[in-house]
Amino acid sequence: MTNTSTRLLFPVHFWEGGPNWNYLSFRMLVAYAITHNRSIVMIPFHNHFVKGFTKGYRPFEETFDINRLRKIVPVVTPEFYKEVCGASIDFLVQFPISKMRKAMRKENRKRYERTRGDFKKLWDIHLPDTKRKRRNFTETERQMMKADEIRCLGIYGPRQIPNFLTEKEKAVFKHIDRYFRLSENIRSMGATVKSLLCGGKPYIAIHWRNRTGEMVEYHSIDCKTEEQCLHNLAMLSNASQVIAEAVGQFMKNLGIDCVYVAIPPRRQEFVERLRNIVRHVYTAHFITSRDNAELRRLEDDNYVLSLVEQEVCQGAEVFLRCGVSNWSEFVQIGRESLGKEVAYLRDIPNIPEEIYEFI
């Protein structure tokens, strides 16, 4: 078999979701690289879509501890890839799109073309033109079977490819998650915040994501009509008091009176109501208002602030995650690798069933 350093895997995913979608996609490809004896190319990640979204990318090393990751898989730069493979990728797969709705196919082609443009701009690497190809599940499976024949392999959208990983490949996740850690700088800032939070006492963390509000604000395709979204938003607003009371009782039963709430940068009634019930409620404002220049700068850097919040959630006694969220999933994976508890916010007692899908 060809030496690992010359069998490369280039992750081809930039715009299929937010940063956490891409972190989780990269994690999948680490599993693939390990089990198929490949080096993986580190890629940058784009900024968040909220709070003054700025176009551009953040270096891989700013997000993850590359030295730690290299203990389990060879990690190389795009420049190294070009030295070995030239300015093109022996492209293996894109997820099947032939059975998608027309609007979804159009959106996915748009995202891929945007990725093609960025590969050209960032590294002068050429991705193939797939506009006239109508991939189906059978073709994708056939391509996956031929993957080991390809030296300079590119995989696009692994999380959207059915059965992308085998059970053998999934089995390495527990090993990977011990080494797939946030960067040393992020962990250091997280440690600083945790030392200041709650006077050093135990705390719980909640990821509160008002998905209905996001649907209205970003005109999500998951929302059938704006009227429906506004109705659901009002329902969730009315339920905020009940949810806050349920969280308060949950914390009382644990004997903890301090909570960190990770929220998108928009007004949240839930937090306002929770402050009337729980003695100590902290949000990102606590981080950016400290007498610490490094933390204060995060007010204008939502990308790093979000990572620091995830590190804070890692350190909580209990993490109550959002039902559908890559942000929550990424925190959960990290906590489970450390043997820490994770629960769904909707699963604590007295949460109304009609709002499960929104929290």
Side-chain angles (χ1 to χ4, degrees), residues 163-215:
N163 305 315
F164 173 71
L165 295 180
T166 65
E167 290 305 314
K168 177 183 176 181
E169 291 159 352
K170 291 177 184 177
V172 305
F173 274 145
K174 287 186 178 180
H175 179 59
I176 290 171
D177 294 338
R178 293 169 51 203
Y179 296 89
F180 196 45
R181 291 282 188 257
L182 294 174
S183 70
E184 186 176 346
N185 185 51
I186 299 297
R187 297 200 310 271
S188 175
M189 284 190 283
T192 298
V193 174
K194 285 181 281 189
S195 70
L196 299 171
L197 199 67
C198 309
K201 296 190 301 182
Y203 62 94
I204 76 163
I206 298 173
H207 182 207
W208 175 264
R209 184 174 179 182
N210 183 348
R211 297 194 66 83
T212 308
E214 291 172 11
M215 290 176 185

Short mmCIF file of all heavy atoms in Angstrom, two decimals, residues 163-215:
data_model
loop_
_atom_site.label_atom_id
_atom_site.label_comp_id
_atom_site.label_asym_id
_atom_site.label_seq_id
_atom_site.Cartn_x
_atom_site.Cartn_y
_atom_site.Cartn_z
N ASN A 163 -25.31 6.30 4.94
CA ASN A 163 -24.42 5.21 5.34
C ASN A 163 -22.97 5.47 4.95
O ASN A 163 -22.25 4.56 4.51
CB ASN A 163 -24.89 3.88 4.72
CG ASN A 163 -26.33 3.58 5.06
OD1 ASN A 163 -26.76 3.71 6.20
ND2 ASN A 163 -27.11 3.20 4.06
N PHE A 164 -22.54 6.71 5.13
CA PHE A 164 -21.17 7.07 4.73
C PHE A 164 -20.14 6.25 5.49
O PHE A 164 -19.17 5.77 4.93
CB PHE A 164 -20.94 8.56 4.94
CG PHE A 164 -19.51 8.98 4.70
CD1 PHE A 164 -19.00 8.99 3.42
CD2 PHE A 164 -18.69 9.34 5.76
CE1 PHE A 164 -17.68 9.35 3.19
CE2 PHE A 164 -17.38 9.71 5.54
CZ PHE A 164 -16.86 9.72 4.25
N LEU A 165 -20.33 6.10 6.79
CA LEU A 165 -19.38 5.35 7.60
C LEU A 165 -19.93 3.96 7.93
O LEU A 165 -21.11 3.80 8.22
CB LEU A 165 -19.09 6.09 8.91
CG LEU A 165 -18.37 7.44 8.80
CD1 LEU A 165 -18.15 8.03 10.18
CD2 LEU A 165 -17.04 7.31 8.06
N THR A 166 -19.07 2.97 7.89
CA THR A 166 -19.44 1.63 8.31
C THR A 166 -19.37 1.55 9.83
O THR A 166 -18.86 2.45 10.50
CB THR A 166 -18.47 0.60 7.71
OG1 THR A 166 -17.16 0.81 8.26
CG2 THR A 166 -18.41 0.73 6.19
N GLU A 167 -19.87 0.46 10.39
CA GLU A 167 -19.80 0.28 11.84
C GLU A 167 -18.36 0.24 12.32
O GLU A 167 -18.03 0.75 13.39
CB GLU A 167 -20.53 -1.00 12.24
CG GLU A 167 -22.04 -0.93 12.08
CD GLU A 167 -22.66 0.24 12.82
OE1 GLU A 167 -22.30 0.44 14.01
OE2 GLU A 167 -23.48 0.95 12.24
N LYS A 168 -17.47 -0.34 11.52
CA LYS A 168 -16.05 -0.36 11.87
C LYS A 168 -15.49 1.05 11.96
O LYS A 168 -14.72 1.38 12.87
CB LYS A 168 -15.28 -1.17 10.84
CG LYS A 168 -13.77 -1.20 11.08
CD LYS A 168 -13.05 -1.95 9.97
CE LYS A 168 -11.54 -1.90 10.17
NZ LYS A 168 -10.81 -2.60 9.09
N GLU A 169 -15.88 1.90 11.01
CA GLU A 169 -15.37 3.28 11.00
C GLU A 169 -15.96 4.09 12.15
O GLU A 169 -15.27 4.89 12.77
CB GLU A 169 -15.69 3.91 9.64
CG GLU A 169 -14.88 3.31 8.51
CD GLU A 169 -15.48 3.53 7.15
OE1 GLU A 169 -16.63 4.04 7.08
OE2 GLU A 169 -14.85 3.17 6.14
N LYS A 170 -17.24 3.86 12.46
CA LYS A 170 -17.87 4.57 13.57
C LYS A 170 -17.24 4.19 14.91
O LYS A 170 -17.23 4.98 15.85
CB LYS A 170 -19.37 4.25 13.61
CG LYS A 170 -20.17 4.84 12.46
CD LYS A 170 -21.63 4.41 12.56
CE LYS A 170 -22.44 4.89 11.37
NZ LYS A 170 -23.84 4.41 11.43
N ALA A 171 -16.72 2.98 14.98
CA ALA A 171 -16.17 2.48 16.24
C ALA A 171 -14.95 3.27 16.69
O ALA A 171 -14.58 3.23 17.88
CB ALA A 171 -15.81 1.01 16.10
N VAL A 172 -14.31 4.00 15.78
CA VAL A 172 -13.10 4.76 16.17
C VAL A 172 -13.45 6.12 16.76
O VAL A 172 -12.57 6.84 17.23
CB VAL A 172 -12.13 4.94 14.99
CG1 VAL A 172 -11.77 3.61 14.38
CG2 VAL A 172 -12.70 5.89 13.93
N PHE A 173 -14.73 6.50 16.75
CA PHE A 173 -15.12 7.83 17.25
C PHE A 173 -14.70 8.05 18.70
O PHE A 173 -14.22 9.12 19.06
CB PHE A 173 -16.63 8.04 17.12
CG PHE A 173 -17.06 8.56 15.77
CD1 PHE A 173 -18.26 8.16 15.22
CD2 PHE A 173 -16.29 9.48 15.08
CE1 PHE A 173 -18.67 8.63 13.98
CE2 PHE A 173 -16.68 9.96 13.83
CZ PHE A 173 -17.87 9.53 13.29
N LYS A 174 -14.91 7.03 19.55
CA LYS A 174 -14.55 7.20 20.96
C LYS A 174 -13.07 7.51 21.11
O LYS A 174 -12.67 8.30 21.98
CB LYS A 174 -14.92 5.96 21.76
CG LYS A 174 -16.42 5.81 21.98
CD LYS A 174 -16.73 4.64 22.91
CE LYS A 174 -18.22 4.53 23.16
NZ LYS A 174 -18.55 3.40 24.07
N HIS A 175 -12.26 6.88 20.28
CA HIS A 175 -10.83 7.16 20.29
C HIS A 175 -10.55 8.57 19.77
O HIS A 175 -9.78 9.33 20.37
CB HIS A 175 -10.11 6.12 19.44
CG HIS A 175 -8.62 6.31 19.36
ND1 HIS A 175 -7.80 6.31 20.47
CD2 HIS A 175 -7.81 6.52 18.28
CE1 HIS A 175 -6.55 6.50 20.10
NE2 HIS A 175 -6.53 6.63 18.78
N ILE A 176 -11.21 8.93 18.67
CA ILE A 176 -11.00 10.25 18.07
C ILE A 176 -11.36 11.36 19.04
O ILE A 176 -10.64 12.35 19.18
CB ILE A 176 -11.85 10.38 16.78
CG1 ILE A 176 -11.31 9.49 15.69
CG2 ILE A 176 -11.91 11.83 16.31
CD1 ILE A 176 -12.21 9.38 14.47
N ASP A 177 -12.48 11.21 19.74
CA ASP A 177 -13.00 12.29 20.57
C ASP A 177 -12.10 12.63 21.75
O ASP A 177 -12.22 13.70 22.34
CB ASP A 177 -14.42 11.96 21.04
CG ASP A 177 -15.41 11.91 19.90
OD1 ASP A 177 -15.12 12.52 18.85
OD2 ASP A 177 -16.46 11.26 20.04
N ARG A 178 -11.19 11.76 22.10
CA ARG A 178 -10.21 12.07 23.15
C ARG A 178 -9.16 13.05 22.64
O ARG A 178 -8.48 13.71 23.43
CB ARG A 178 -9.53 10.78 23.62
CG ARG A 178 -10.46 9.82 24.35
CD ARG A 178 -9.80 8.46 24.54
NE ARG A 178 -8.46 8.62 25.15
CZ ARG A 178 -7.49 7.71 25.04
NH1 ARG A 178 -7.70 6.62 24.33
NH2 ARG A 178 -6.33 7.91 25.63
N TYR A 179 -9.03 13.15 21.31
CA TYR A 179 -7.98 13.98 20.72
C TYR A 179 -8.53 15.14 19.89
O TYR A 179 -7.79 16.03 19.50
CB TYR A 179 -7.08 13.12 19.83
CG TYR A 179 -6.32 12.08 20.61
CD1 TYR A 179 -6.88 10.82 20.84
CD2 TYR A 179 -5.07 12.35 21.14
CE1 TYR A 179 -6.19 9.86 21.57
CE2 TYR A 179 -4.38 11.40 21.88
CZ TYR A 179 -4.95 10.15 22.09
OH TYR A 179 -4.27 9.21 22.82
N PHE A 180 -9.82 15.11 19.62
CA PHE A 180 -10.45 16.16 18.80
C PHE A 180 -10.90 17.28 19.74
O PHE A 180 -12.07 17.43 20.05
CB PHE A 180 -11.63 15.55 18.05
CG PHE A 180 -12.12 16.39 16.90
CD1 PHE A 180 -11.26 16.97 16.01
CD2 PHE A 180 -13.48 16.58 16.70
CE1 PHE A 180 -11.70 17.73 14.94
CE2 PHE A 180 -13.96 17.33 15.64
CZ PHE A 180 -13.07 17.90 14.75
N ARG A 181 -9.94 18.06 20.20
CA ARG A 181 -10.18 19.08 21.21
C ARG A 181 -10.03 20.48 20.62
O ARG A 181 -9.31 20.70 19.63
CB ARG A 181 -9.17 18.93 22.36
CG ARG A 181 -9.39 17.67 23.19
CD ARG A 181 -10.57 17.86 24.15
NE ARG A 181 -10.69 16.75 25.07
CZ ARG A 181 -11.58 15.79 24.98
NH1 ARG A 181 -12.43 15.78 23.98
NH2 ARG A 181 -11.64 14.82 25.88
N LEU A 182 -10.70 21.43 21.26
CA LEU A 182 -10.55 22.82 20.85
C LEU A 182 -9.12 23.29 21.11
O LEU A 182 -8.38 22.69 21.90
CB LEU A 182 -11.56 23.70 21.60
CG LEU A 182 -13.02 23.43 21.27
CD1 LEU A 182 -13.94 24.25 22.16
CD2 LEU A 182 -13.31 23.72 19.79
N SER A 183 -8.73 24.37 20.44
CA SER A 183 -7.35 24.83 20.51
C SER A 183 -6.96 25.21 21.94
O SER A 183 -7.81 25.48 22.80
CB SER A 183 -7.17 26.05 19.60
OG SER A 183 -7.85 27.17 20.14
N GLU A 184 -5.68 25.23 22.19
CA GLU A 184 -5.17 25.56 23.51
C GLU A 184 -5.62 26.94 23.94
O GLU A 184 -5.95 27.17 25.11
CB GLU A 184 -3.64 25.47 23.51
CG GLU A 184 -3.01 25.66 24.87
CD GLU A 184 -1.52 25.46 24.86
OE1 GLU A 184 -1.00 24.92 23.86
OE2 GLU A 184 -0.85 25.84 25.85
N ASN A 185 -5.66 27.89 22.99
CA ASN A 185 -6.08 29.25 23.32
C ASN A 185 -7.55 29.30 23.74
O ASN A 185 -7.91 29.98 24.70
CB ASN A 185 -5.86 30.17 22.11
CG ASN A 185 -6.16 31.62 22.43
OD1 ASN A 185 -5.68 32.17 23.42
ND2 ASN A 185 -6.98 32.24 21.60
N ILE A 186 -8.40 28.56 23.03
CA ILE A 186 -9.82 28.49 23.39
C ILE A 186 -9.98 27.87 24.76
O ILE A 186 -10.74 28.37 25.61
CB ILE A 186 -10.61 27.68 22.34
CG1 ILE A 186 -10.53 28.32 20.95
CG2 ILE A 186 -12.07 27.53 22.79
CD1 ILE A 186 -11.13 29.69 20.85
N ARG A 187 -9.28 26.78 25.01
CA ARG A 187 -9.39 26.10 26.30
C ARG A 187 -8.90 27.00 27.44
O ARG A 187 -9.46 27.00 28.54
CB ARG A 187 -8.60 24.79 26.30
CG ARG A 187 -9.12 23.77 25.29
CD ARG A 187 -8.68 22.35 25.62
NE ARG A 187 -7.26 22.23 25.87
CZ ARG A 187 -6.33 22.00 24.95
NH1 ARG A 187 -6.69 21.89 23.66
NH2 ARG A 187 -5.06 21.87 25.28
N SER A 188 -7.87 27.80 27.15
CA SER A 188 -7.35 28.71 28.17
C SER A 188 -8.37 29.78 28.52
O SER A 188 -8.60 30.08 29.71
CB SER A 188 -6.05 29.36 27.67
OG SER A 188 -5.58 30.32 28.58
N MET A 189 -9.01 30.37 27.49
CA MET A 189 -10.04 31.38 27.76
C MET A 189 -11.22 30.75 28.48
O MET A 189 -11.80 31.35 29.39
CB MET A 189 -10.47 32.04 26.45
CG MET A 189 -9.47 33.05 25.91
SD MET A 189 -10.12 34.03 24.52
CE MET A 189 -9.99 32.84 23.20
N GLY A 190 -11.58 29.53 28.08
CA GLY A 190 -12.67 28.84 28.75
C GLY A 190 -12.36 28.61 30.22
O GLY A 190 -13.23 28.78 31.08
N ALA A 191 -11.12 28.24 30.52
CA ALA A 191 -10.73 28.02 31.91
C ALA A 191 -10.82 29.31 32.72
O ALA A 191 -11.23 29.31 33.89
CB ALA A 191 -9.31 27.45 31.96
N THR A 192 -10.44 30.42 32.09
CA THR A 192 -10.54 31.72 32.77
C THR A 192 -11.98 32.04 33.12
O THR A 192 -12.30 32.45 34.24
CB THR A 192 -9.96 32.84 31.88
OG1 THR A 192 -8.58 32.59 31.64
CG2 THR A 192 -10.11 34.20 32.55
N VAL A 193 -12.88 31.84 32.15
CA VAL A 193 -14.30 32.13 32.38
C VAL A 193 -14.85 31.22 33.48
O VAL A 193 -15.55 31.67 34.39
CB VAL A 193 -15.11 31.94 31.08
CG1 VAL A 193 -16.61 32.09 31.37
CG2 VAL A 193 -14.68 32.96 30.03
N LYS A 194 -14.52 29.93 33.42
CA LYS A 194 -15.04 28.98 34.41
C LYS A 194 -14.56 29.32 35.82
O LYS A 194 -15.27 29.11 36.81
CB LYS A 194 -14.65 27.56 34.02
CG LYS A 194 -15.46 27.01 32.86
CD LYS A 194 -15.08 25.58 32.51
CE LYS A 194 -13.82 25.51 31.70
NZ LYS A 194 -13.54 24.15 31.18
N SER A 195 -13.35 29.89 35.92
CA SER A 195 -12.84 30.25 37.24
C SER A 195 -13.57 31.46 37.82
O SER A 195 -13.62 31.64 39.04
CB SER A 195 -11.34 30.56 37.15
OG SER A 195 -11.09 31.78 36.44
N LEU A 196 -14.14 32.29 36.94
CA LEU A 196 -14.85 33.49 37.38
C LEU A 196 -16.34 33.23 37.56
O LEU A 196 -17.02 33.91 38.34
CB LEU A 196 -14.67 34.62 36.35
CG LEU A 196 -13.22 35.08 36.11
CD1 LEU A 196 -13.18 36.04 34.91
CD2 LEU A 196 -12.66 35.77 37.35
N LEU A 197 -16.85 32.24 36.86
CA LEU A 197 -18.28 31.95 36.83
C LEU A 197 -18.73 31.37 38.17
O LEU A 197 -18.11 30.44 38.70
CB LEU A 197 -18.56 30.96 35.71
CG LEU A 197 -19.99 30.82 35.18
CD1 LEU A 197 -20.42 32.09 34.48
CD2 LEU A 197 -20.05 29.64 34.21
N CYS A 198 -19.80 31.91 38.72
CA CYS A 198 -20.44 31.35 39.91
C CYS A 198 -19.51 31.27 41.11
O CYS A 198 -19.71 30.45 42.00
CB CYS A 198 -20.99 29.95 39.62
SG CYS A 198 -22.02 29.85 38.14
N GLY A 199 -18.48 32.10 41.12
CA GLY A 199 -17.54 32.08 42.23
C GLY A 199 -16.84 30.75 42.38
O GLY A 199 -16.41 30.37 43.47
N GLY A 200 -16.70 30.04 41.25
CA GLY A 200 -16.03 28.74 41.28
C GLY A 200 -16.91 27.59 41.73
O GLY A 200 -16.46 26.44 41.79
N LYS A 201 -18.19 27.86 42.01
CA LYS A 201 -19.10 26.80 42.46
C LYS A 201 -19.66 26.04 41.24
O LYS A 201 -19.61 26.52 40.11
CB LYS A 201 -20.25 27.40 43.26
CG LYS A 201 -19.82 28.07 44.56
CD LYS A 201 -21.03 28.42 45.42
CE LYS A 201 -21.97 29.37 44.68
NZ LYS A 201 -23.14 29.75 45.53
N PRO A 202 -20.24 24.84 41.47
CA PRO A 202 -20.83 24.08 40.37
C PRO A 202 -21.96 24.86 39.68
O PRO A 202 -22.66 25.66 40.31
CB PRO A 202 -21.39 22.83 41.06
CG PRO A 202 -20.58 22.70 42.31
CD PRO A 202 -20.31 24.11 42.75
N TYR A 203 -22.12 24.62 38.41
CA TYR A 203 -23.18 25.27 37.63
C TYR A 203 -23.70 24.30 36.59
O TYR A 203 -23.03 23.30 36.25
CB TYR A 203 -22.65 26.54 36.96
CG TYR A 203 -21.53 26.32 35.96
CD1 TYR A 203 -21.80 26.18 34.60
CD2 TYR A 203 -20.20 26.24 36.38
CE1 TYR A 203 -20.78 25.98 33.68
CE2 TYR A 203 -19.17 26.04 35.48
CZ TYR A 203 -19.47 25.90 34.13
OH TYR A 203 -18.46 25.69 33.22
N ILE A 204 -24.89 24.57 36.10
CA ILE A 204 -25.38 23.83 34.94
C ILE A 204 -25.30 24.75 33.74
O ILE A 204 -25.16 25.98 33.88
CB ILE A 204 -26.82 23.31 35.13
CG1 ILE A 204 -27.85 24.45 34.97
CG2 ILE A 204 -27.00 22.59 36.46
CD1 ILE A 204 -29.26 23.93 34.74
N ALA A 205 -25.35 24.18 32.55
CA ALA A 205 -25.32 24.97 31.31
C ALA A 205 -26.50 24.57 30.44
O ALA A 205 -26.90 23.40 30.41
CB ALA A 205 -24.01 24.77 30.57
N ILE A 206 -27.07 25.55 29.75
CA ILE A 206 -28.20 25.31 28.86
C ILE A 206 -27.88 25.91 27.49
O ILE A 206 -27.38 27.04 27.41
CB ILE A 206 -29.49 25.98 29.39
CG1 ILE A 206 -29.88 25.39 30.75
CG2 ILE A 206 -30.64 25.81 28.40
CD1 ILE A 206 -31.04 26.13 31.41
N HIS A 207 -28.17 25.17 26.44
CA HIS A 207 -28.14 25.76 25.11
C HIS A 207 -29.58 26.05 24.71
O HIS A 207 -30.37 25.15 24.46
CB HIS A 207 -27.51 24.80 24.09
CG HIS A 207 -27.42 25.41 22.71
ND1 HIS A 207 -27.42 24.65 21.56
CD2 HIS A 207 -27.32 26.71 22.30
CE1 HIS A 207 -27.32 25.44 20.52
NE2 HIS A 207 -27.27 26.69 20.93
N TRP A 208 -29.91 27.34 24.70
CA TRP A 208 -31.26 27.77 24.35
C TRP A 208 -31.22 28.36 22.95
O TRP A 208 -30.56 29.36 22.70
CB TRP A 208 -31.76 28.80 25.35
CG TRP A 208 -33.10 29.39 24.97
CD1 TRP A 208 -33.34 30.55 24.30
CD2 TRP A 208 -34.38 28.83 25.26
NE1 TRP A 208 -34.68 30.75 24.14
CE2 TRP A 208 -35.35 29.71 24.73
CE3 TRP A 208 -34.81 27.68 25.92
CZ2 TRP A 208 -36.72 29.46 24.84
CZ3 TRP A 208 -36.18 27.44 26.02
CH2 TRP A 208 -37.11 28.32 25.49
N ARG A 209 -31.93 27.71 22.03
CA ARG A 209 -31.93 28.17 20.65
C ARG A 209 -33.37 28.31 20.19
O ARG A 209 -34.07 27.32 20.00
CB ARG A 209 -31.19 27.18 19.76
CG ARG A 209 -31.07 27.64 18.33
CD ARG A 209 -30.20 26.69 17.53
NE ARG A 209 -30.11 27.12 16.15
CZ ARG A 209 -29.45 26.46 15.20
NH1 ARG A 209 -28.83 25.34 15.50
NH2 ARG A 209 -29.42 26.92 13.97
N ASN A 210 -33.80 29.54 20.01
CA ASN A 210 -35.17 29.81 19.61
C ASN A 210 -35.30 29.54 18.11
O ASN A 210 -35.18 30.44 17.28
CB ASN A 210 -35.52 31.27 19.93
CG ASN A 210 -36.96 31.59 19.59
OD1 ASN A 210 -37.64 30.83 18.92
ND2 ASN A 210 -37.42 32.72 20.05
N ARG A 211 -35.53 28.27 17.78
CA ARG A 211 -35.54 27.90 16.36
C ARG A 211 -36.66 28.58 15.59
O ARG A 211 -36.51 28.90 14.41
CB ARG A 211 -35.64 26.38 16.22
CG ARG A 211 -34.45 25.65 16.82
CD ARG A 211 -34.41 24.21 16.37
NE ARG A 211 -34.16 24.12 14.93
CZ ARG A 211 -32.96 24.18 14.38
NH1 ARG A 211 -31.90 24.35 15.13
NH2 ARG A 211 -32.81 24.08 13.08
N THR A 212 -37.80 28.81 16.23
CA THR A 212 -38.89 29.49 15.53
C THR A 212 -38.49 30.92 15.21
O THR A 212 -38.75 31.43 14.12
CB THR A 212 -40.17 29.47 16.39
OG1 THR A 212 -40.42 28.14 16.78
CG2 THR A 212 -41.34 29.99 15.59
N GLY A 213 -37.83 31.58 16.15
CA GLY A 213 -37.36 32.93 15.88
C GLY A 213 -36.38 32.97 14.74
O GLY A 213 -36.41 33.87 13.89
N GLU A 214 -35.51 31.95 14.64
CA GLU A 214 -34.57 31.89 13.54
C GLU A 214 -35.29 31.69 12.22
O GLU A 214 -34.92 32.25 11.19
CB GLU A 214 -33.57 30.75 13.77
CG GLU A 214 -32.62 31.02 14.92
CD GLU A 214 -31.79 29.81 15.25
OE1 GLU A 214 -31.79 28.84 14.46
OE2 GLU A 214 -31.13 29.82 16.30
N MET A 215 -36.35 30.89 12.24
CA MET A 215 -37.11 30.67 11.01
C MET A 215 -37.68 31.98 10.48
O MET A 215 -37.67 32.26 9.29
CB MET A 215 -38.24 29.67 11.26
CG MET A 215 -37.77 28.24 11.49
SD MET A 215 -39.17 27.17 11.89
CE MET A 215 -38.32 25.65 12.25
#
